[in-house]
Amino acid sequence: GTMIAMIQAVRQAQVEIKEVVTLAEKVEMKGVERIRSETGITVKTIIQLDTSGGRSKVVSTIFDRPHQE
């Protein structure tokens, strides 16, 4: 919700958003998907984490995935 609110505030100030990058994404929360569906912006993530279990684990990094456009 915070990222969506920030995107909306920036847009309300009539600023064009070219790209959004975040350091970490909790994949089980599906926040990146929600941001895309509510704003139309695809978020690039550096590290994808799974924090659903007793221990957090790195699912992937930007270096493991195909180039994001």
Side-chain angles (χ1 to χ4, degrees):
T2 302
M3 181 73 75
I4 292 169
M6 290 180 1
I7 289 168
Q8 291 169 341
V10 169
R11 284 180 168 169
Q12 192 170 27
Q14 299 181 346
V15 176
E16 179 184 9
I17 299 172
K18 296 273 189 176
E19 186 169 67
V20 173
V21 179
T22 186
L23 175 61
E25 168 193 359
K26 295 178 184 176
V27 293
E28 73 278 3
M29 302 297 286
K30 301 192 186 303
V32 168
E33 292 174 24
R34 185 172 159 217
I35 293 167
R36 184 176 33 249
S37 71
E38 292 190 28
T39 69
I41 294 175
T42 299
V43 178
K44 294 180 181 179
T45 59
I46 306 300
I47 301 169
Q48 291 179 316
L49 301 169
D50 180 348
T51 60
S52 62
R55 302 181 95 179
S56 297
K57 67 178 182 178
V58 174
V59 174
S60 70
T61 72
I62 197 167
F63 305 108
D64 303 329
R65 298 184 300 269
H67 182 66
Q68 297 176 349
E69 286 296 327

Coordinates of all heavy atoms in Angstrom, one line a residue:
G1 N 0.8 -1.2 0.0 CA 0.0 0.0 0.0 C 0.8 1.3 0.0 O 0.4 2.3 -0.6
T2 N 2.0 1.3 0.7 CA 2.8 2.5 0.8 C 3.3 2.9 -0.6 O 3.3 4.1 -1.0 CB 4.0 2.2 1.7 OG1 3.5 1.9 3.0 CG2 4.8 3.5 1.9
M3 N 3.8 1.9 -1.4 CA 4.4 2.2 -2.7 C 3.3 2.8 -3.6 O 3.5 3.7 -4.4 CB 5.0 1.0 -3.3 CG 5.6 1.3 -4.7 SD 7.2 2.2 -4.6 CE 8.3 0.9 -4.0
I4 N 2.1 2.2 -3.5 CA 1.0 2.7 -4.4 C 0.6 4.1 -4.0 O 0.4 5.0 -4.9 CB -0.2 1.7 -4.2 CG1 0.1 0.4 -4.9 CG2 -1.5 2.4 -4.9 CD1 -0.9 -0.7 -4.6
A5 N 0.6 4.4 -2.7 CA 0.3 5.8 -2.2 C 1.4 6.7 -2.7 O 1.0 7.9 -3.1 CB 0.2 5.8 -0.7
M6 N 2.6 6.3 -2.7 CA 3.7 7.2 -3.2 C 3.6 7.5 -4.7 O 3.7 8.6 -5.1 CB 5.1 6.6 -2.8 CG 5.3 6.6 -1.3 SD 6.9 6.0 -0.7 CE 7.8 5.4 -2.1
I7 N 3.3 6.4 -5.4 CA 3.1 6.6 -6.9 C 1.9 7.6 -7.1 O 2.0 8.5 -8.0 CB 2.8 5.2 -7.5 CG1 4.1 4.4 -7.5 CG2 2.3 5.4 -9.0 CD1 4.0 2.9 -7.9
Q8 N 0.8 7.4 -6.4 CA -0.3 8.3 -6.6 C 0.0 9.7 -6.3 O -0.4 10.6 -7.0 CB -1.5 7.8 -5.8 CG -2.1 6.5 -6.3 CD -3.1 5.8 -5.4 OE1 -3.1 6.1 -4.2 NE2 -3.9 4.9 -5.9
A9 N 0.8 9.9 -5.2 CA 1.1 11.3 -4.8 C 2.0 11.9 -5.8 O 1.8 13.1 -6.1 CB 1.8 11.2 -3.4
V10 N 3.0 11.2 -6.3 CA 3.9 11.7 -7.3 C 3.1 12.1 -8.6 O 3.3 13.1 -9.2 CB 5.0 10.7 -7.6 CG1 5.8 11.1 -8.8 CG2 5.9 10.6 -6.4
R11 N 2.2 11.2 -9.0 CA 1.4 11.5 -10.2 C 0.5 12.7 -10.0 O 0.3 13.4 -10.9 CB 0.6 10.2 -10.6 CG 1.4 9.1 -11.2 CD 0.5 8.0 -11.6 NE 1.2 7.0 -12.4 CZ 0.8 5.8 -12.7 NH1 -0.3 5.4 -12.2 NH2 1.5 5.1 -13.5
Q12 N 0.0 12.8 -8.8 CA -0.9 13.9 -8.5 C -0.1 15.3 -8.6 O -0.7 16.3 -9.0 CB -1.5 13.8 -7.1 CG -2.6 14.8 -6.8 CD -3.3 14.4 -5.5 OE1 -2.7 13.9 -4.6 NE2 -4.6 14.8 -5.4
A13 N 1.2 15.2 -8.4 CA 2.0 16.4 -8.5 C 2.4 16.6 -10.0 O 3.2 17.4 -10.3 CB 3.3 16.2 -7.7
Q14 N 1.8 15.8 -10.9 CA 2.0 15.8 -12.3 C 3.4 15.5 -12.7 O 4.0 16.1 -13.7 CB 1.5 17.2 -12.9 CG 0.1 17.4 -12.6 CD -0.4 18.8 -13.2 OE1 0.4 19.6 -13.5 NE2 -1.7 18.9 -13.2
V15 N 4.0 14.6 -12.0 CA 5.3 14.1 -12.4 C 5.2 12.7 -13.1 O 4.4 11.9 -12.6 CB 6.2 13.9 -11.1 CG1 7.6 13.3 -11.5 CG2 6.4 15.3 -10.4
E16 N 5.9 12.5 -14.2 CA 5.8 11.3 -14.9 C 6.8 10.3 -14.3 O 7.9 10.6 -14.0 CB 6.2 11.5 -16.4 CG 6.2 10.2 -17.2 CD 6.7 10.4 -18.6 OE1 7.2 11.5 -18.9 OE2 6.5 9.4 -19.3
I17 N 6.3 9.1 -14.0 CA 7.1 8.1 -13.4 C 7.6 7.2 -14.5 O 6.8 6.6 -15.2 CB 6.4 7.2 -12.3 CG1 5.9 8.1 -11.2 CG2 7.2 6.1 -11.8 CD1 5.0 7.5 -10.2
K18 N 8.9 7.1 -14.7 CA 9.5 6.3 -15.8 C 9.7 4.9 -15.3 O 9.6 3.9 -16.1 CB 10.8 6.9 -16.2 CG 10.7 8.3 -16.9 CD 10.4 8.1 -18.3 CE 10.5 9.5 -19.0 NZ 10.3 9.4 -20.4
E19 N 10.1 4.7 -14.1 CA 10.5 3.4 -13.6 C 10.5 3.4 -12.1 O 10.7 4.4 -11.4 CB 12.0 3.2 -14.1 CG 12.6 1.9 -13.8 CD 13.9 1.8 -14.6 OE1 14.9 2.5 -14.3 OE2 13.9 1.0 -15.6
V20 N 10.2 2.2 -11.5 CA 10.2 2.0 -10.1 C 11.0 0.8 -9.8 O 10.9 -0.2 -10.4 CB 8.7 1.8 -9.5 CG1 8.8 1.4 -8.1 CG2 7.9 3.0 -9.7
V21 N 12.0 1.0 -8.9 CA 12.9 -0.1 -8.4 C 12.8 -0.2 -6.9 O 12.8 0.8 -6.2 CB 14.3 0.2 -8.9 CG1 15.3 -0.9 -8.4 CG2 14.4 0.4 -10.4
T22 N 12.8 -1.4 -6.4 CA 12.8 -1.6 -5.0 C 13.9 -2.6 -4.7 O 14.2 -3.5 -5.5 CB 11.4 -2.1 -4.5 OG1 11.4 -2.2 -3.1 CG2 11.0 -3.5 -5.0
L23 N 14.4 -2.5 -3.5 CA 15.5 -3.4 -3.1 C 15.0 -4.8 -2.9 O 15.5 -5.8 -3.4 CB 16.2 -2.9 -1.8 CG 17.2 -3.8 -1.2 CD1 18.4 -4.0 -2.2 CD2 17.8 -3.2 0.1
A24 N 13.9 -4.9 -2.1 CA 13.5 -6.3 -1.7 C 12.0 -6.4 -1.9 O 11.2 -5.5 -1.7 CB 13.8 -6.6 -0.3
E25 N 11.6 -7.6 -2.3 CA 10.2 -7.9 -2.5 C 9.9 -9.2 -1.8 O 10.6 -10.2 -1.9 CB 9.9 -8.2 -4.0 CG 8.6 -8.8 -4.4 CD 8.5 -9.3 -5.8 OE1 9.4 -9.2 -6.6 OE2 7.4 -9.9 -6.1
K26 N 8.8 -9.2 -0.9 CA 8.3 -10.4 -0.3 C 7.3 -11.0 -1.2 O 6.2 -10.6 -1.3 CB 7.7 -10.0 1.1 CG 8.6 -9.4 2.1 CD 7.8 -9.0 3.3 CE 8.7 -8.3 4.3 NZ 7.9 -7.9 5.5
V27 N 7.8 -12.1 -1.9 CA 7.0 -12.6 -3.0 C 5.6 -13.1 -2.5 O 4.6 -13.0 -3.3 CB 7.7 -13.7 -3.7 CG1 8.9 -13.2 -4.5 CG2 8.2 -14.9 -2.8
E28 N 5.5 -13.6 -1.3 CA 4.2 -14.2 -0.8 C 3.2 -13.1 -0.6 O 2.0 -13.4 -0.6 CB 4.4 -15.0 0.4 CG 4.7 -14.3 1.7 CD 6.2 -13.9 1.9 OE1 7.0 -14.2 1.0 OE2 6.5 -13.3 2.9
M29 N 3.6 -11.8 -0.4 CA 2.7 -10.7 -0.2 C 2.1 -10.2 -1.5 O 1.1 -9.5 -1.5 CB 3.4 -9.6 0.5 CG 4.1 -9.9 1.8 SD 2.8 -10.4 3.0 CE 2.1 -8.9 3.4
K30 N 2.7 -10.6 -2.7 CA 2.2 -10.2 -4.0 C 2.0 -8.7 -4.2 O 1.2 -8.2 -4.9 CB 0.9 -10.9 -4.3 CG 1.1 -12.4 -4.3 CD -0.1 -13.1 -4.8 CE -0.1 -14.6 -4.7 NZ 1.1 -15.3 -5.2
G31 N 2.9 -7.9 -3.5 CA 2.8 -6.5 -3.6 C 3.2 -5.9 -5.0 O 2.5 -5.0 -5.4
V32 N 4.2 -6.5 -5.6 CA 4.6 -6.1 -6.9 C 3.4 -6.3 -7.9 O 3.2 -5.4 -8.8 CB 5.9 -6.8 -7.4 CG1 6.2 -6.6 -8.8 CG2 7.0 -6.3 -6.5
E33 N 2.7 -7.4 -7.8 CA 1.6 -7.7 -8.7 C 0.5 -6.7 -8.4 O -0.2 -6.2 -9.3 CB 1.0 -9.1 -8.4 CG 2.0 -10.2 -8.9 CD 1.5 -11.6 -8.5 OE1 0.3 -11.7 -8.3 OE2 2.3 -12.5 -8.4
R34 N 0.3 -6.3 -7.1 CA -0.8 -5.3 -6.8 C -0.4 -4.0 -7.3 O -1.3 -3.2 -7.8 CB -0.9 -5.3 -5.3 CG -2.0 -4.4 -4.8 CD -2.3 -4.5 -3.3 NE -3.0 -3.3 -2.9 CZ -2.8 -2.7 -1.8 NH1 -2.0 -3.2 -0.9 NH2 -3.5 -1.6 -1.5
I35 N 0.8 -3.6 -7.2 CA 1.3 -2.3 -7.7 C 1.0 -2.2 -9.2 O 0.5 -1.2 -9.8 CB 2.8 -2.0 -7.4 CG1 2.9 -1.8 -5.9 CG2 3.3 -0.8 -8.2 CD1 4.4 -1.9 -5.5
R36 N 1.4 -3.3 -10.0 CA 1.1 -3.3 -11.4 C -0.3 -3.2 -11.7 O -0.7 -2.5 -12.6 CB 1.8 -4.6 -12.0 CG 1.6 -4.6 -13.5 CD 2.3 -5.8 -14.2 NE 2.3 -7.0 -13.5 CZ 3.4 -7.6 -12.9 NH1 4.6 -7.1 -13.1 NH2 3.3 -8.7 -12.2
S37 N -1.2 -4.0 -11.0 CA -2.6 -4.0 -11.3 C -3.3 -2.6 -11.0 O -4.2 -2.2 -11.7 CB -3.3 -5.1 -10.6 OG -3.4 -4.9 -9.3
E38 N -2.8 -2.0 -10.0 CA -3.5 -0.7 -9.5 C -2.9 0.5 -10.2 O -3.6 1.6 -10.2 CB -3.4 -0.6 -8.0 CG -4.3 -1.6 -7.3 CD -4.4 -1.3 -5.8 OE1 -4.4 -0.2 -5.4 OE2 -4.7 -2.3 -5.1
T39 N -1.6 0.4 -10.7 CA -1.0 1.6 -11.2 C -0.6 1.5 -12.7 O -0.3 2.5 -13.3 CB 0.2 2.1 -10.4 OG1 1.3 1.1 -10.6 CG2 -0.1 2.3 -8.9
G40 N -0.4 0.2 -13.1 CA 0.1 0.0 -14.5 C 1.6 0.0 -14.6 O 2.2 -0.2 -15.6
I41 N 2.3 0.2 -13.4 CA 3.7 0.2 -13.4 C 4.3 -1.1 -13.0 O 3.9 -1.8 -12.1 CB 4.2 1.3 -12.4 CG1 3.8 2.7 -12.9 CG2 5.7 1.2 -12.2 CD1 4.1 3.8 -11.9
T42 N 5.3 -1.6 -13.8 CA 6.0 -2.8 -13.5 C 7.2 -2.4 -12.6 O 8.0 -1.6 -13.0 CB 6.5 -3.5 -14.8 OG1 5.3 -3.9 -15.6 CG2 7.3 -4.8 -14.5
V43 N 7.3 -3.0 -11.4 CA 8.3 -2.7 -10.5 C 9.5 -3.7 -10.7 O 9.3 -4.9 -10.8 CB 7.8 -2.9 -9.0 CG1 8.9 -2.6 -8.0 CG2 6.6 -1.9 -8.8
K44 N 10.7 -3.2 -10.8 CA 11.9 -4.0 -10.8 C 12.4 -4.2 -9.4 O 12.4 -3.3 -8.6 CB 13.0 -3.3 -11.6 CG 12.7 -3.1 -13.1 CD 13.8 -2.4 -13.8 CE 13.4 -2.1 -15.2 NZ 14.5 -1.4 -15.9
T45 N 12.7 -5.5 -9.1 CA 13.2 -5.8 -7.8 C 14.6 -6.3 -7.8 O 15.0 -7.1 -8.7 CB 12.3 -6.8 -7.1 OG1 12.3 -8.0 -7.9 CG2 10.9 -6.3 -6.9
I46 N 15.4 -6.0 -6.8 CA 16.8 -6.4 -6.7 C 16.8 -7.8 -6.1 O 17.4 -8.7 -6.7 CB 17.7 -5.5 -5.9 CG1 17.6 -4.0 -6.4 CG2 19.1 -5.9 -5.9 CD1 18.0 -3.8 -7.8
I47 N 16.1 -8.0 -5.0 CA 16.1 -9.3 -4.3 C 14.6 -9.7 -4.1 O 13.9 -8.9 -3.5 CB 16.8 -9.2 -3.0 CG1 18.3 -8.8 -3.2 CG2 16.8 -10.5 -2.2 CD1 19.0 -8.4 -1.9
Q48 N 14.3 -11.0 -4.4 CA 13.0 -11.5 -4.1 C 13.2 -12.4 -2.9 O 14.0 -13.3 -2.9 CB 12.4 -12.3 -5.3 CG 12.0 -11.4 -6.4 CD 11.4 -12.1 -7.6 OE1 12.0 -13.2 -8.0 NE2 10.4 -11.6 -8.1
L49 N 12.4 -12.2 -1.8 CA 12.5 -13.0 -0.6 C 11.2 -13.8 -0.3 O 10.1 -13.3 -0.7 CB 12.7 -12.1 0.6 CG 13.9 -11.2 0.5 CD1 13.9 -10.1 1.6 CD2 15.2 -12.0 0.7
D50 N 11.3 -14.9 0.3 CA 10.2 -15.7 0.8 C 10.3 -15.6 2.3 O 11.2 -16.1 2.9 CB 10.2 -17.1 0.3 CG 9.0 -17.9 0.8 OD1 8.3 -17.5 1.7 OD2 8.8 -19.0 0.3
T51 N 9.3 -14.9 2.9 CA 9.4 -14.7 4.4 C 8.2 -15.5 5.1 O 7.9 -15.2 6.2 CB 9.3 -13.2 4.8 OG1 8.1 -12.7 4.3 CG2 10.5 -12.5 4.2
S52 N 7.6 -16.4 4.3 CA 6.4 -17.1 4.8 C 6.7 -18.2 5.9 O 5.8 -18.5 6.7 CB 5.6 -17.7 3.7 OG 6.4 -18.7 3.0
G53 N 7.9 -18.7 5.9 CA 8.2 -19.8 6.8 C 8.9 -19.2 8.1 O 8.9 -18.0 8.4
G54 N 9.5 -20.1 8.8 CA 10.2 -19.7 10.0 C 11.4 -18.9 9.8 O 11.9 -18.2 10.6
R55 N 12.0 -19.1 8.6 CA 13.2 -18.4 8.2 C 13.0 -17.7 6.8 O 12.4 -18.4 6.0 CB 14.4 -19.3 8.1 CG 14.7 -20.1 9.4 CD 15.8 -21.0 9.3 NE 17.0 -20.2 9.8 CZ 18.2 -20.7 9.8 NH1 18.4 -21.9 9.3 NH2 19.2 -20.0 10.2
S56 N 13.5 -16.6 6.7 CA 13.5 -15.9 5.4 C 14.5 -16.5 4.4 O 15.6 -16.9 4.9 CB 13.7 -14.4 5.5 OG 12.8 -13.8 6.3
K57 N 14.2 -16.6 3.1 CA 15.2 -17.1 2.2 C 15.1 -16.3 0.9 O 14.0 -15.8 0.5 CB 15.0 -18.6 1.9 CG 13.7 -19.0 1.2 CD 13.7 -20.5 0.9 CE 12.4 -20.8 0.2 NZ 12.3 -22.2 -0.2
V58 N 16.2 -16.2 0.3 CA 16.3 -15.5 -1.0 C 15.8 -16.4 -2.1 O 16.3 -17.5 -2.2 CB 17.7 -15.0 -1.3 CG1 17.8 -14.4 -2.7 CG2 18.2 -14.0 -0.3
V59 N 14.8 -16.0 -2.8 CA 14.2 -16.8 -3.9 C 15.0 -16.5 -5.2 O 15.4 -17.5 -5.9 CB 12.7 -16.4 -4.1 CG1 12.1 -17.1 -5.4 CG2 11.9 -16.7 -2.9
S60 N 15.3 -15.3 -5.4 CA 16.1 -14.9 -6.6 C 16.7 -13.5 -6.4 O 16.2 -12.7 -5.6 CB 15.3 -15.0 -7.9 OG 14.4 -14.0 -8.0
T61 N 17.6 -13.2 -7.3 CA 18.1 -11.8 -7.3 C 18.0 -11.3 -8.8 O 17.8 -12.1 -9.7 CB 19.6 -11.7 -6.9 OG1 20.4 -12.3 -7.9 CG2 19.9 -12.4 -5.6
I62 N 18.2 -10.0 -9.0 CA 18.1 -9.5 -10.3 C 19.1 -10.1 -11.3 O 18.9 -10.2 -12.5 CB 18.3 -7.9 -10.3 CG1 17.8 -7.3 -11.5 CG2 19.8 -7.6 -9.9 CD1 17.7 -5.8 -11.5
F63 N 20.2 -10.7 -10.7 CA 21.2 -11.3 -11.6 C 20.8 -12.7 -12.0 O 21.3 -13.3 -13.0 CB 22.5 -11.4 -10.8 CG 23.0 -10.0 -10.3 CD1 22.9 -9.7 -9.0 CD2 23.4 -9.1 -11.2 CE1 23.3 -8.4 -8.6 CE2 23.8 -7.8 -10.8 CZ 23.8 -7.5 -9.5
D64 N 19.8 -13.3 -11.3 CA 19.3 -14.7 -11.6 C 18.2 -14.6 -12.7 O 17.9 -15.7 -13.3 CB 18.7 -15.4 -10.4 CG 19.7 -15.5 -9.3 OD1 20.9 -15.6 -9.5 OD2 19.3 -15.4 -8.1
R65 N 17.5 -13.5 -12.8 CA 16.4 -13.4 -13.7 C 16.7 -12.8 -15.0 O 17.7 -12.0 -15.2 CB 15.3 -12.6 -13.0 CG 14.8 -13.2 -11.7 CD 13.7 -12.4 -11.1 NE 14.0 -11.0 -10.8 CZ 14.5 -10.5 -9.7 NH1 14.7 -11.4 -8.7 NH2 14.7 -9.3 -9.5
P66 N 15.9 -13.1 -16.1 CA 16.1 -12.4 -17.4 C 16.0 -10.9 -17.2 O 15.3 -10.4 -16.3 CB 15.0 -12.9 -18.2 CG 14.5 -14.1 -17.5 CD 14.8 -14.0 -16.1
H67 N 16.7 -10.2 -18.1 CA 16.7 -8.7 -18.0 C 15.2 -8.2 -18.0 O 14.4 -8.6 -18.8 CB 17.4 -8.2 -19.3 CG 17.5 -6.7 -19.3 ND1 18.2 -6.0 -18.4 CD2 16.9 -5.8 -20.1 CE1 18.1 -4.7 -18.7 NE2 17.3 -4.5 -19.7
Q68 N 14.9 -7.3 -17.1 CA 13.6 -6.7 -17.0 C 13.6 -5.4 -17.7 O 14.4 -4.5 -17.6 CB 13.3 -6.4 -15.5 CG 13.2 -7.6 -14.6 CD 12.9 -7.3 -13.2 OE1 13.0 -6.1 -12.8 NE2 12.6 -8.3 -12.4
E69 N 12.6 -5.2 -18.6 CA 12.4 -3.9 -19.3 C 11.3 -3.1 -18.7 O 10.3 -3.6 -18.2 CB 12.1 -4.2 -20.8 CG 13.3 -4.7 -21.6 CD 14.4 -3.7 -21.7 OE1 14.1 -2.4 -21.7 OE2 15.5 -4.1 -21.7

